[in-house]
Amino acid sequence: MTAVAIVPAAGLGERMGADKALLDLGGRTPIGRVVATCRTAGVDEILVVRRDGADALPASLGVQVVTVSGGGEMADSLRAAYLALPAEAESVLVFPVDHALVTADTVLALRTLCGREGCEIALPLFRERAGHPVWLTRQAFAEIDRPGAVLRDVVRADRSRVRVVETGNPWVHADLDRPEDLRAAVCALHGEPWSTVAQMFRHRSHRSYRRDALPRAQIERLVDAARHASTSSYIQAYAVVAVRDEAIKNDCARLCGGQRHIVEAPVFFAVCADLHKLAAACGRHGTEVQAQSLELFLQATVDAALLGQNLQLAAEAEGLGACMIGAARNHPIELAERLALPPHVFVVFGMTVGVPADDPVPRGRMPLAGVLHWDRYEPATDAVLDGADEVMRAWARRANAEQGGYNGRPVNEQKGWTERMAAAWGADSSYAKARATLRDELRRLGFALE
Ligand SMILES: Cc1cc2nc3c(=O)[nH]c(=O)nc-3n(C[C@H](O)[C@H](O)[C@H](O)COP(=O)(O)O)c2cc1C
């Protein structure tokens, strides 16, 4: 059966600000990816619909180009392609460039279905929602050649001839409309196949790294993704200093309690609460930022924390390991000076990121009942506290058995979470004493906390 792919790629790309067929999608163009996928799936010929005056496609693609005028409406593109369809074409694959990350297995599955046992239209289904590409018999596709007809109407005209292929590939729904869509697609090419939530459960802090440098493009990608966290009142009151310079990184390590993994990691991120840009915005409009406000301090700190958590998750999704570094608040003023932070910016916490060289035993968490309350808060029960103790002891037993302990030393298997927390944060807390000057230091950095 002769199969022809029609690739609508005639849009103006107004929201993208560029011709989407020719974007850089992980080192290849979307049109290049679609063409390669079509060939892998055994398509015989490929017609690409382009707008009059659009940039020429590389001859190496080996495709036939059909041109249309106007704004590149999908229906017009499909009708033009229908009129140019080779006589021998028995089936048609409609494969818009937006769906460049759909893989050949999905396309092959559509091809296998279409034309068999009453199936005239085969389309992919992700989570109960139909997407692209769509494979149709020539006869079904011919219905596009009616005034006002769009592909959706052809599909809906007679459900009995439509079959679906269930796929785990969400890109059957994707649109490459905005620059953010492109950046998300590039991220997907680097991400692990876990769902976001599965990735969350896989979290462990890593404290040893290989020396491999992280490419600048990867660092940009991770921080770019991370900053799409929600942000209080759209202030975007955060900043990240990505420290790769060895001398500066070593100084950061020294100022953060000499933690070895900061020296080892190829990058140390200083995740900052940042009211500097807000101050500049206020200055531009003849007023002064209320940086003394405790509320603004909290907003900026929460914003930074949300970005930081997103950053860790993004790094983990790309197969990296990370560890947050609260010790960045040990010497906030010296650290701010070393990183050339302006007034109204402080490092809330740091984060080491790199290719992990360790395989830490997961810590687990206290029973969910200590965290999730229904309608009203329930004070901590013995079951919760005992459960938290047991999770900690189980971690200690496993760390001792599998790794000879933690950080090169055996862990006390008797001490549970409550005893450790009481020692760390009770009356003799060395942590609390170490931060006794934090309020004054924050004031000096431009946060009066009033
Ligand atoms: C804000 C913050 C600061 C942290 N600071 C440090 C740190 O300075 N050094 C370190 O080794 N781990 C640090 N951690 C990691 C915690 O110790 C770790 O998340 C916790 O023990 C749970 O272990 P897990 O992340 O492996 O599940 C920090 C975590 C957070 C959220």
Side-chain angles (χ1 to χ4, degrees):
M1 182 163 85
T2 303
V4 173
I6 293 171
V7 184
L12 292 166
E14 272 171 339
R15 274 177 290 173
M16 182 65 80
D19 180 346
K20 61 173 96 165
L22 297 175
L23 295 167
D24 179 356
L25 179 48
R28 293 163 68 190
T29 58
I31 188 70
R33 288 181 180 276
V34 168
V35 167
T37 302
C38 287
R39 297 218 192 288
T40 308
V43 167
D44 301 288
E45 217 173 301
I46 300 168
L47 300 185
V48 181
V49 187
R50 299 286 280 161
R51 182 173 37 85
D52 265 342
D55 287 344
L57 300 178
S60 56
L61 286 177
V63 298
Q64 192 188 324
V65 173
V66 177
T67 50
V68 288
S69 50
E73 291 301 320
M74 174 81 127
D76 297 339
S77 294
L78 294 182
R79 209 160 295 119
Y82 172 72
L83 297 176
L85 211 54
E88 68 275 17
E90 291 163 277
S91 71
V92 172
L93 171 70
V94 177
F95 197 160
V97 274
D98 295 66
H99 304 277
L101 296 189
V102 172
T103 46
D105 51 346
T106 303
V107 181
L108 264 171
L110 296 172
R111 177 175 197 168
T112 309
L113 267 185
C114 189
R116 285 199 188 160
E117 295 166 18
C119 170
E120 291 181 43
I121 300 174
L123 43 80
L125 201 68
F126 175 76
R127 306 260 164 92
E128 307 293 316
R129 243 181 83 212
H132 276 97
V134 181
W135 206 305
L136 308 94
T137 59
R138 183 183 184 117
Q139 205 181 2
F141 184 61
E143 294 167 25
I144 202 76
D145 190 29
R146 288 183 194 151
V150 294
L151 189 62
R152 197 185 323 116
D153 297 335
V154 174
V155 171
R156 289 181 181 169
D158 176 4
R159 299 275 185 182
S160 70
R161 61 183 178 167
V162 180
R163 303 281 184 282
V164 296
V165 168
E166 302 247 6
T167 172
N169 187 339
W171 296 97
V172 300
H173 291 161
D175 277 326
L176 270 185
D177 280 342
R178 305 165 308 142
E180 286 80 3
D181 299 334
L182 175 67
R183 273 140 58 199
V186 171
C187 286
L189 289 169
H190 296 271
E192 297 213 334
W194 308 103
S195 75
T196 311
V197 178
Q199 190 68 56
M200 290 174 188
F201 278 106
R202 291 169 54 77
H203 162 78
R204 294 166 296 161
S205 292
H206 289 271
R207 296 182 176 83
S208 178
Y209 305 96
R210 299 210 319 236
R211 297 301 298 218
D212 318 33
L214 291 194
R216 186 187 172 97
Q218 184 173 27
I219 291 174
E220 282 176 356
R221 189 168 64 236
L222 296 174
V223 176
D224 188 13
R227 75 195 175 109
H228 282 79
S230 295
T231 158
S232 311
S233 309
Y234 193 46
I235 299 179
Q236 305 172 73
Y238 39 54
V240 176
V241 183
V243 181
R244 294 184 299 170
D245 179 281
E246 291 295 334
I248 303 179
K249 195 151 61 66
N250 289 345
D251 284 345
C252 290
R254 179 176 51 77
L255 293 169
C256 296
Q259 297 190 49
R260 191 176 42 85
H261 45 282
I262 302 175
V263 176
E264 235 180 53
V267 61
F268 172 73
F269 290 107
V271 181
C272 306
D274 176 5
L275 297 178
H276 171 71
K277 289 162 291 201
L278 191 63
C282 291
R284 180 177 274 200
H285 294 278
T287 183
E288 238 176 77
V289 69
Q290 299 301 291
Q292 79 288 352
S293 147
L294 178 61
E295 170 60 17
L296 256 187
F297 166 81
L298 268 179
Q299 288 201 12
T301 305
V302 171
D303 265 17
L306 296 178
L307 181 150
Q309 172 55 33
N310 257 8
L311 181 57
Q312 183 168 57
L313 191 57
E316 290 170 347
E318 293 205 4
L320 301 172
C323 183
M324 295 187 183
I325 304 292
R329 297 187 303 275
N330 284 3
H331 301 285
I333 292 176
E334 289 89 332
L335 188 59
E337 282 168 2
R338 190 65 177 107
L339 300 177
L341 303 186
H344 309 309
V345 181
F346 86 100
V347 182
V348 181
F349 54 89
M351 194 187 307
T352 52
V353 175
V355 178
D358 59 354
D359 183 18
V361 173
R363 296 248 181 181
R365 293 293 186 262
M366 69 171 65
L368 185 60
V371 177
L372 174 61
H373 305 266
W374 296 101
D375 299 319
R376 300 157 68 99
Y377 193 101
E378 294 287 340
T381 59
D382 281 342
V384 164
L385 297 179
D386 291 348
D389 279 345
E390 181 43 32
V391 169
M392 182 108 220
R393 292 190 188 111
W395 168 79
R397 286 194 298 274
R398 197 174 149 192
N400 285 339
E402 293 178 14
Q403 308 195 340
Y406 173 75
N407 224 356
R409 273 181 297 183
V411 189
N412 183 334
E413 295 180 11
Q414 308 313 315
K415 271 194 193 171
W417 179 82
T418 49
E419 190 178 345
R420 286 177 189 276
M421 292 302 120
W425 292 104
D428 296 326
S429 171
S430 55
Y431 292 110
K433 281 186 193 125
R435 299 273 159 83
T437 53
L438 185 58
R439 192 188 174 111
D440 290 338
E441 288 160 325
L442 285 172
R443 284 209 165 113
R444 285 175 58 193
L445 292 171
F447 298 88
L449 314 182
E450 284 167 8

